[in-house]
Amino acid sequence: MVNLSTKIGSLTLANPIMPASGTFSEDLSEVLDLHQLGAHVTKTITAEKRGGNPTPRVCEVRGSMLNSIGIPSKGVQHFIDNTIPFYNAYDVPLVVSISANSADEFARICEQVSVPGVAAIEVNISCPNIEEDGKAFAMRPSTTTAVMEKLRSASDLPLWAKLSPNTGETIEVALAAEEAGADALVVANTLLSMAIDIHTRKPKLGNLMGGLSGPSLKPIALRMAYQCAKSVQIPVIGCGGISTVEDIVEYLIAGATAVQVGTATFINPNIMVTLLGQLETYLETRNIANLSDLVGSVRDEDAADAVVFMETAP
């Protein structure tokens, strides 16, 4: 038997596979057994109702996807009254994803959703900060520190900081989030991208630009997960481009203690359960008794100097 359990701070998950926020909803209970997932991560919610961005909101690019959904939300109270009771029927940790436009609003939502039935809060600090000209909180260490300190003061629940690939300061932001009170890092959100229809010469998304997800994102997010796992003492959750068991194993070897599956679910709604079975088989056939034995096992000793150079070179 293989022990697939993993720890993320004070939380113990039965296995390392969970959905990425925005790609998972109650409707999936009709096609897969939600009891089998390591955690449930909700769609991101905001304080008030939001309609989202103009259409079209999604387009395909070669092997991946662009989206500019705009975080449509029914608000915090609807979430507390309706969504939390649904997930409480499952003996699986519930992780609530939240988003806000300012540090104070983030703290208010964080306090509101810190209710029985919620195991952890994923804070989407990759979203725009209106106090910094629309730049995402997680683009800079200073704004990461400011928002995480307010979030930490608002709740005693575990806080998972979702980082952005749209920064040149990956390690500095990760360290800032850790020092300001994050219990884990989710690495990473989508990469700001664009696509144009060559026949109409118009952008393919109604909001002009959107987030790149799917296989094209994986090498970038994997690099970030590796860098973060090497730099912080808190767990790292790998997210970005996972569609095969090999992808999961790469993230684990790089240092992630769990993973989130997103875009692949749109193609195959049952993909997470399939990957779980394949991960167990991978470990069994290699006589790896515990998932933890795989985590952070990358053989990078000979490349240590190169990693340092990349981080210090101008």
Side-chain angles (χ1 to χ4, degrees), residues 271-313:
I271 188 68
M272 286 183 284
V273 173
T274 299
L275 292 174
L276 179 59
Q278 292 174 348
L279 178 61
E280 185 170 18
T281 299
Y282 174 90
L283 296 173
E284 285 177 345
T285 57
R286 287 158 179 80
N287 296 315
I288 301 174
N290 298 290
L291 181 86
S292 58
D293 294 336
L294 193 62
V295 173
S297 60
V298 60
R299 296 172 179 172
D300 59 353
E301 296 84 0
D302 296 338
D305 291 341
V307 173
V308 171
F309 175 77
M310 284 191 297
E311 287 304 310
T312 58

Side-chain angles (χ1 to χ4, degrees), residues 3-213:
N3 178 13
L4 289 171
S5 67
T6 188
K7 287 185 68 68
I8 302 179
S10 60
L11 288 179
T12 298
L13 277 55
N15 66 73
I17 298 177
M18 67 186 88
S21 63
T23 63
F24 183 69
S25 70
E26 299 91 307
D27 295 339
L28 279 177
S29 64
E30 299 178 11
V31 295
L32 64 93
D33 181 4
L34 301 188
H35 288 100
Q36 295 190 49
L37 301 180
H40 296 155
V41 184
T42 67
K43 288 183 62 178
T44 303
I45 60 168
T46 56
E48 306 298 335
K49 292 182 179 179
R50 287 173 54 134
N53 285 336
T55 57
R57 296 177 177 179
V58 176
C59 75
E60 289 187 55
V61 292
R62 195 172 304 152
S64 294
M65 184 181 85
L66 296 185
N67 88 83
S68 179
I69 305 298
I71 314 181
S73 170
K74 295 182 179 179
V76 173
Q77 196 57 52
H78 181 275
F79 178 85
I80 293 172
D81 293 341
N82 297 276
T83 307
I84 292 178
F86 173 85
Y87 287 111
N88 282 345
Y90 298 91
D91 187 22
V92 176
L94 177 63
V95 182
V96 177
S97 175
I98 65 172
S99 176
N101 293 321
S102 70
D104 288 335
E105 185 181 351
F106 247 127
R108 285 194 298 272
I109 301 173
C110 186
E111 183 176 9
Q112 286 178 285
V113 300
S114 297
V115 297
V118 176
I121 300 172
E122 181 180 283
V123 290
N124 182 13
I125 59 172
S126 309
C127 59
N129 176 6
I130 60 173
E131 297 167 340
E132 292 287 334
D133 298 322
K135 293 182 175 65
F137 293 94
M139 287 183 69
R140 298 170 176 166
S142 59
T143 48
T144 297
T145 296
V147 70
M148 288 306 304
E149 286 180 343
K150 291 206 171 185
L151 284 159
R152 183 70 284 164
S153 66
S155 178
D156 292 327
L157 287 175
L159 299 178
W160 297 1
K162 189 165 188 177
L163 303 190
S164 170
N166 302 303
T167 179
E169 300 179 274
T170 298
I171 293 175
E172 293 84 355
V173 168
L175 289 168
E178 178 184 35
E179 291 168 6
D183 297 283
L185 304 177
V186 180
V187 185
N189 211 321
T190 56
L191 183 67
L192 188 63
S193 305
M194 187 177 185
I196 296 174
D197 186 321
I198 63 170
H199 303 291
T200 64
R201 303 187 186 184
K202 294 181 179 180
K204 290 186 177 181
L205 294 175
N207 204 45
L208 303 184
M209 291 174 280
L212 175 70
S213 64

Side-chain angles (χ1 to χ4, degrees), residues 215-234:
S216 298
L217 179 63
K218 197 197 91 180
I220 298 168
L222 180 67
R223 178 265 302 172
M224 290 182 65
Y226 169 82
Q227 289 178 306
C228 291
K230 286 288 185 182
S231 304
V232 301
Q233 301 302 310
I234 55 177

